[in-house]
Amino acid sequence: SQQGEEDPQALSIQEGENATMNCSYKTSINNLQWYRQNSGRGLVHLILIRSNEREKHSGRLRVTLDTSKKSSSLLITASRAADTASYFCATVAYKTGANNLFFGTGTRLTVIP
Amino acid sequence: SQTIHQWPATLVQPVGSPLSLECTVEGTSNPNLYWYRQAAGRGLQLLFYSIGIDQISSEVPQNLSASRPQDRQFILSSKKLLLSDSGFYLCAWSGTAEKLFFGSGTQLSVL
């Protein structure tokens, strides 16, 4: 299976602290994406990193990718209570032209005000 | 701008009853369309994807089927629901960009 695995499964931090979530995957990828899901809602795309990139930034988000270890990390700096959500990594498998994304099990982040 | 509509938001159905969940996309043409299922507290499982009208592929064998009668319409169906079909169903689309845009989801409870 190409499905990723996030670590930790749950993370609780104080507002203002940094949150780091990790993702491991099994097969070669074209790109890896991170999504956020508020409870009971759809997922929202956060950031995409390609296999030839090692690090990418977007606002308070920093993503790293190590293809040799088949792992990625998502860092949220200066966390806010509004960052409370589940975060998923997803890897792309190309099949007949569709960009099929396979998702991990997610990290549930709680930011305490 | 593009939008995706998914309904209903919640659904409670008895075992053995049929199912029809609908998803439509606006503001884009020839999107790739997807159905995912999420069990409580779990990750997403890809159920079906479609790259065009009547072109549907299934990722996992199951009690469900999908149809795409129009370019921007994707329907998830079942003739007889099982208890194990309960979950949070998400429709999504993608275009030339490689990211997915998700609907708001349908919480299905089969009792």
Side-chain angles (χ1 to χ4, degrees), chain A residues 3 30-31 33 35 37 40-43 45 48 50 88 94-105, chain B residues 32 34 36 38 41-44 46 49 51 57 59 88 90 94-100 102-105:
Chain A
Q3 195 167 29
N30 181 278
N31 68 65
Q33 302 178 32
Y35 287 77
Q37 183 183 34
R41 306 291 296 275
L43 280 73
H45 180 268
L48 180 154
R50 300 194 180 282
F88 295 87
Y94 286 106
K95 283 186 180 181
T96 61
N99 299 328
N100 294 351
L101 276 174
F102 293 87
F103 286 82
T105 52
Chain B
N32 294 327
Y34 308 83
Y36 283 87
Q38 184 177 32
R42 304 288 296 278
L44 278 72
L46 178 61
Y49 67 93
I51 61 171
S57 298
E59 280 295 313
F88 191 53
L90 288 157
S94 69
T96 53
E98 291 153 293
K99 59 184 180 180
L100 292 187
F102 283 85
S104 54

Side-chain angles (χ1 to χ4, degrees), chain A residues 3 5 9 12 16 18 20 31 33 38 42 44 48-49 52 54 60 65-68 86 90 93 102 108:
Chain A
Q3 195 167 29
E5 293 287 337
Q9 292 187 348
S12 184
N18 295 342
T20 300
N31 68 65
Q33 302 178 32
N38 287 357
V44 176
L48 180 154
I49 187 166
N52 61 352
R54 292 296 168 259
R60 293 184 295 113
L65 179 65
D66 187 335
T67 53
S68 66
S86 292
F102 293 87
R108 182 166 181 79

Side-chain angles (χ1 to χ4, degrees), chain B residues 34-82:
Chain B
Y34 308 83
W35 279 110
Y36 283 87
R37 176 170 61 199
Q38 184 177 32
R42 304 288 296 278
L44 278 72
Q45 179 185 36
L46 178 61
L47 301 177
F48 299 94
Y49 67 93
S50 171
I51 61 171
I53 292 176
D54 294 329
Q55 298 181 68
I56 298 172
S57 298
S58 173
E59 280 295 313
V60 291
Q62 60 215 315
N63 184 42
L64 302 168
S65 62
S67 61
R68 185 171 177 173
Q70 299 180 44
D71 179 48
R72 290 170 289 177
Q73 183 185 27
F74 206 23
I75 298 172
L76 183 69
S77 303
S78 173
K79 292 182 179 179
K80 288 185 178 182
L81 284 169
L82 306 172

Side-chain angles (χ1 to χ4, degrees), chain A:
Chain A
S1 166
Q2 192 162 349
Q3 195 167 29
E5 293 287 337
E6 285 90 344
D7 169 59
Q9 292 187 348
L11 179 61
S12 184
I13 60 174
Q14 295 289 331
E15 198 165 33
E17 294 180 339
N18 295 342
T20 300
M21 289 158 270
N22 303 295
C23 167
S24 60
Y25 56 91
K26 297 179 181 178
T27 64
S28 296
I29 61 170
N30 181 278
N31 68 65
L32 185 144
Q33 302 178 32
W34 285 90
Y35 287 77
R36 165 197 169 123
Q37 183 183 34
N38 287 357
S39 181
R41 306 291 296 275
L43 280 73
V44 176
H45 180 268
L46 294 176
I47 196 166
L48 180 154
I49 187 166
R50 300 194 180 282
S51 59
N52 61 352
E53 297 176 307
R54 292 296 168 259
E55 187 171 313
K56 201 163 185 179
H57 297 256
S58 177
R60 293 184 295 113
L61 304 180
R62 173 183 164 233
V63 169
T64 62
L65 179 65
D66 187 335
T67 53
S68 66
K69 295 181 180 178
K70 292 187 169 58
S71 66
S72 173
S73 67
L74 171 67
L75 169 67
I76 303 174
T77 60
S79 64
R80 306 167 182 169
D83 294 329
T84 294
S86 292
Y87 292 82
F88 295 87
C89 69
T91 53
V92 175
Y94 286 106
K95 283 186 180 181
T96 61
N99 299 328
N100 294 351
L101 276 174
F102 293 87
F103 286 82
T105 52
T107 292
R108 182 166 181 79
L109 173 66
T110 302
V111 180
I112 303 168

